[in-house]
Amino acid sequence: PDVKFILSAFAGDVFNGLGMTLNLFHDETADVLASTHVETRLLFGIYFAIVALGFYRLLFRRTIRVALGEVEKTRSMVMELPTHVLKSDEVHTMVTFFAPAHATEEEEHDDHAAAH
């Protein structure tokens, strides 16, 4: 009779306790999944940024290397042009235009020193 009284009086407590336990479990699961989602998005963003910067750096360096190679080809082609049909100031203009930047600065320095 005592057990029957306890079961009849407190039977709802078992279901309430189970419901509260399930609610707690669902809340904790939602929190864990939310934090996992945020961390996954952050890691994906970092990974994507690293990959994008890596490809940019690789392509940029390759492009600069190809461009410098083309500059050297152009300079060598200009230096092989027949300049005997041009006037001397035209030859000088052409050579200084296609000369490397550091050579142009040295020539300008030499020109200023000769003028003074």
Side-chain angles (χ1 to χ4, degrees):
D2 292 333
V3 173
K4 190 175 186 181
F5 170 74
I6 292 173
L7 286 176
S8 66
F10 300 106
D13 289 344
V14 173
F15 293 114
N16 287 339
L18 183 61
M20 289 172 41
T21 304
L22 285 175
N23 286 339
L24 181 66
F25 177 74
H26 287 300
D27 292 342
E28 288 296 321
T29 304
D31 290 342
V32 168
L33 289 176
S35 66
T36 303
H37 181 68
V38 169
E39 291 172 359
T40 303
R41 290 181 68 181
L42 179 67
L43 288 174
F44 179 73
I46 292 170
Y47 173 75
F48 183 74
I50 288 171
V51 168
L53 289 175
F55 277 126
Y56 175 76
R57 183 175 178 217
L58 177 72
L59 292 175
F60 181 75
R61 291 180 73 183
R62 180 172 288 177
T63 303
I64 293 297
R65 195 177 311 126
V66 168
L68 290 176
E70 290 297 320
V71 166
E72 289 302 320
K73 287 181 187 176
T74 304
R75 283 185 185 144
S76 66
M77 188 266 311
V78 166
M79 293 303 165
E80 293 175 3
L81 287 176
T83 56
H84 62 278
V85 294
L86 299 174
K87 297 178 186 172
S88 65
D89 59 339
E90 292 173 339
V91 171
H92 179 68
T93 302
M94 183 178 66
V95 169
T96 55
F97 181 78
F98 287 103
H102 64 326
T104 305
E105 292 172 1
E106 291 173 3
E107 289 176 4
E108 288 177 3
H109 180 63
D110 292 343
D111 291 343
H112 288 294
H116 294 288

